[in-house]
Each structure stands twice: as structure tokens, then as C-alpha cells.
Amino acid sequence: MILPGATLGVLGGGQLGRMFAMSARSMGYRVVTWDPDPHCPAKDFSSFHLSAGFEDEDAVRYCLDNMDAVTTEFENVPAKTLERLSEKLIVTPPAKGVGICQDRIREKTFLSGLGFPVPEFFPVTQKKDIDSIPPGFPFPALLKRSRLGYDGKGQMPVGTPDEAASIFSAWGGVPCILEERVLFDKEISVILARNRSGAIRYFPVSENRHRQGVLEISVAPARIREALAKKAMEIAGSVAEKMEYSGILAVELFLLHDGRFLVNELAPRPHNSGHFTLDACLTSQFEQQVRVLCDIPMGDSALSMPAAMGNLMGDLWTKGEPDWDILLENPRLKLHLYGKSSPRPGRKMGHFTILGNHPDDAYEEALVLLQRLQSPL
Ligand code: AMP
């Protein structure tokens, strides 16, 4: 066990690193944030900030000499750096799991190879692959960059193989995955924590509403039958086991009309759709990340109250600072801002959680609040 007083490193200093640092600091750990951006959101809550690229040799040596354990807040850290650090330090999630999640081709191939249900897909790594798309592949489809895509970025709808070929070329021939466009009933996510002994704790399943590919609202518990929630958790737990994973894992799933699930993607870290856990669960996903990293017993992740989380995007700042009164006058609302100084459209600036007696109430209230923030009277 790594006890309070020890130094924890987090690779990446965005809002997820910031909320990890807040949890770790409140439990008495020192936190070193490693992020090239000298003004990253996690810096405010860090004991020390390492401003360097993720392959910087001096930074690797600093970590090896000064940290007890390391985690990451985003999947695009070089798996090689995690491997180097794990030669001497405890590292969760392990490099293998991060390596799978940071590459869509690897991720989908891994999942389908083990029999997990995924949308139909076809890897495109060179232009001539387009000629080998199996006859009957369902178009319209989506072309997604295999690496570095997030929040709907790096993906385009394509109506025909020719269209896929021209987008592939326009993106400079980077590896891509062609994916069936799924008609789903709901999007949900399962977030779990798995420790190094293989024990798993599940957070309540959340139901997610996206706008233009970006999460807008999450509701917990998801408004689906209990048997379906159980099935989703079983899929997620089994994925974590097969990956020999430790740490926080988010599994995003599409729920189809006939009750089947398809795995959309995996995130080897706390997830935006789990932010409600900060205010609505006995243990948040960030505290659980600290606990798993330090190998201390995991906390109870039960839901205290139904909740809805609304993302506060930079678009809300178009006419200046949003009217915070709209949120703050609500006694069941918790506001979280990430300390980012330059709001840009599409940038996640913060979120709120609204607690309700029923998930429907919380969801409706979150919708209304977002609408009021967008067009205040
Ligand atoms: P991703 O970054 O892959 O999670 O995609 C962002 C969002 O785009 C998802 O949450 C879905 O709303 C949508 N999306 C992604 N893949 C598909 C798909 N194969 N079929 C339908 N919608 C999708």
C-alpha cells in the first residue's frame, strides 16, 4: 500500500488530472502533474508541475527519482513512457491497456477477437484497402482516425467507398477505421475500478446524450431495465479482465432496440460521463483512481441520489461570462469549473451536477438549465 504522504504522478494535466489531484491532495498525497502546458488545469492543485513533452528523458528520470506511483488522465501518453516508468514505479493503468485504448484498430480488433459485440468495422491503413471493403459492408458508415480522435473529432460520415477514399486521402493517409453507423436506442457507459488483485467495483451505469459528437448530459442511474444494466456491467467487467487491467476503465456502449449492446469505445481513465460520481456517489471515480493506484481498499461506489451532469462548453462564453446565478440559485446543484482561462467553442470549461429524486427529474432540470444558460432572458 502506498500511504498518504507519498508522491503520486499524473500524466496529463487537463480537467481529469485536476480532479484526480484534488482527490489525492485531500487525502494527504503529494501530486506531481506532468503536462507540457505550463497553465494546465491540474497545476492549481499540484504540489509540483513538470512542464515537458511526454517523451522527455529528463522528465522520465525526474519521475523515477521522485515518485511512488504514476497514473494517467488521457490515453494518448506514449505507452513506451508508461513502460519506462513501470520499470521502477507502480503504474496504473498498465501500458498494455493504454496501448489498446489509444488505437481504434487495435481496440476493435482486440474486442471482436475475444467475441465482444462491436459495430461492424474494417481497418483502412492504405488507399488500396478501400478496394477490399467486403461487399455488403453497411453504408452510410463512419470513417474514424485510428489514433488521436476524441469527442467526435477525427470522424466523418461517408456514404460510399469513394467518399471514404477521398477523406482518407484528405487526412494524409493516416490509419483509419471504417465503422457501420449504428442506429441505437441509447448510449450508456459503465465505469469500473479494478485493483491489482482483480477485484472490481462498478459505478452506477450512466445514460449519455451527445450533441455533435460531444457529451452534453449524463444521467445516473441510466433509465434502462435492471437486467440490461447488469448485462452492460458484465460486458465491461469481462473486458477489464481480458485486458488484465488495473485502474479506472470506462466502457461506452450502444444499446440497440432489440436489447443487444455494442461496445463503442474504451477509455483507460476516469470519464466525462462519470463526473456525477463526485456529487452523487459515496466514492467518486477520482478518489477510486487514487485508491486503486495506491492499492488501498476501494471505496463504496453506490449512488446516494439520482443525478444528471451537464457539460459547460466554451460556446456558453460567446457573449461573456455565463450568468452563474441560473445555476447557483439551485440548492441541489453543484458547480465545477476547471480554471481554464480561454473559453473556445467546443472546449470543456466545467460541468454541473444536479441531484434529483428521480433520474427523469434530474435530466429534465439539466436540459432546462443548459437551455437557459444558452439563451438567458
Ligand atoms: P466516439 O468518439 O467514437 O465515442 O464518437 C463520439 C460519438 O459519435 C458517440 O458517442 C456517438 O454518439 C457517435 N458515434 C460514434 N460511433 C458511432 C457509430 N458507429 N454509429 C453511430 N454513432 C456513432
Side-chain angles (χ1 to χ4, degrees):
M1 273 202 244
I2 297 170
L3 295 173
T7 302
L8 310 180
V10 55
L11 273 65
Q15 62 266 21
L16 301 177
R18 176 182 173 100
M19 290 182 270
F20 166 82
M22 289 166 83
S23 280
R25 294 294 302 271
S26 79
M27 291 170 77
Y29 291 95
R30 292 188 76 250
V31 176
V32 176
T33 303
W34 178 355
D35 191 297
D37 176 1
H39 306 293
C40 67
K43 191 178 176 183
D44 291 346
F45 293 92
S46 303
S47 323
F48 184 74
H49 176 235
L50 204 51
S51 178
F54 290 117
E55 295 188 75
D56 187 285
E57 222 3 78
D58 289 341
V60 169
R61 265 196 299 276
Y62 178 89
C63 293
L64 292 171
D65 291 344
N66 292 284
M67 292 177 186
D68 297 291
V70 179
T71 188
T72 165
E73 61 117 44
F74 84 138
E75 49 273 43
N76 295 321
V77 288
K80 213 174 74 207
T81 300
L82 292 178
E83 274 159 22
R84 276 289 311 281
L85 297 175
S86 58
E87 285 165 16
K88 190 172 158 208
L89 307 173
I90 288 173
V91 178
T92 66
K96 179 184 161 192
V98 176
I100 291 172
C101 300
Q102 67 188 194
D103 183 313
R104 289 186 195 273
I105 295 178
R106 253 187 99 182
E107 182 179 80
K108 290 269 160 44
T109 308
F110 168 82
L111 290 168
S112 65
L114 290 167
F116 291 107
V118 292
E120 202 169 320
F121 71 96
F122 184 77
V124 181
T125 58
Q126 40 189 333
K127 201 155 182 193
K128 67 177 178 11
D129 291 340
I130 303 274
D131 301 328
S132 323
I133 295 172
F137 188 93
F139 280 94
L142 290 169
L143 190 70
K144 297 181 176 180
R145 283 167 181 260
S146 192
R147 295 177 83 94
L148 301 175
Y150 68 100
D151 283 349
K153 294 185 180 69
Q155 58 175 272
M156 288 287 277
V158 287
T160 59
D162 282 350
E163 242 178 82
S166 56
I167 290 169
F168 178 76
S169 300
W171 283 347
V174 294
C176 288
I177 191 163
L178 184 67
E179 210 174 274
E180 118 182 63
R181 184 162 211 167
V182 179
L183 292 175
F184 49 79
D185 260 12
K186 277 184 197 286
E187 287 189 71
I188 62 144
S189 48
V190 179
I191 300 174
L192 61 81
R194 185 169 188 264
N195 68 15
R196 289 199 286 282
S197 319
I200 294 181
R201 291 261 185 179
Y202 295 91
F203 288 98
V205 176
S206 71
E207 175 188 335
N208 307 319
R209 168 184 153 124
H210 291 79
R211 182 192 274 250
Q212 290 162 350
V214 185
L215 184 67
E216 184 180 38
I217 297 179
S218 284
V219 193
R223 294 162 301 169
I224 59 176
R225 280 186 289 119
E226 213 174 306
L228 285 175
K230 204 166 153 239
K231 189 166 135 192
M233 289 198 256
E234 278 166 13
I235 294 173
S238 174
V239 169
E241 272 157 20
K242 295 281 195 257
M243 282 167 84
E244 297 168 340
Y245 191 82
S246 61
I248 305 294
L249 180 71
V251 180
E252 292 180 47
L253 299 131
F254 298 132
L255 172 59
L256 309 186
H257 193 57
D258 59 9
R260 280 184 304 130
F261 284 108
L262 299 178
V263 180
N264 172 31
E265 66 174 359
L266 311 175
R269 52 170 169 77
H271 195 255
N272 193 172
S273 65
H275 288 357
F276 73 89
T277 62
L278 279 168
D279 302 307
C281 287
L282 293 177
T283 307
S284 76
Q285 57 174 350
F286 302 102
E287 180 178 338
Q288 208 75 300
Q289 184 180 17
V290 176
R291 287 170 173 268
V292 170
L293 179 63
C294 297
D295 216 15
I296 55 181
M298 288 186 283
D300 187 338
S301 46
L303 192 71
S304 319
M305 252 186 124
M309 186 280 322
N311 265 338
L312 299 169
M313 307 299 293
D315 313 58
L316 294 172
W317 273 251
T318 316
K319 293 185 195 138
E321 196 75 6
D323 181 358
W324 296 127
D325 279 359
I326 293 172
L327 300 181
L328 295 175
E329 68 190 9
N330 190 317
R332 286 184 165 197
L333 184 141
K334 304 287 178 186
L335 177 63
H336 300 261
L337 291 172
Y338 305 148
K340 296 182 183 178
S341 54
S342 35
R344 286 191 299 272
R347 190 169 196 213
K348 290 176 181 166
M349 301 296 292
H351 72 269
F352 64 80
T353 308
I354 178 101
L355 300 156
N357 293 326
H358 191 279
D360 284 343
D361 303 338
Y363 175 70
E364 292 303 325
E365 236 178 309
L367 259 184
V368 169
L369 288 169
L370 283 179
Q371 276 158 9
R372 283 183 61 202
L373 281 174
Q374 275 150 17
S375 31
L377 294 177

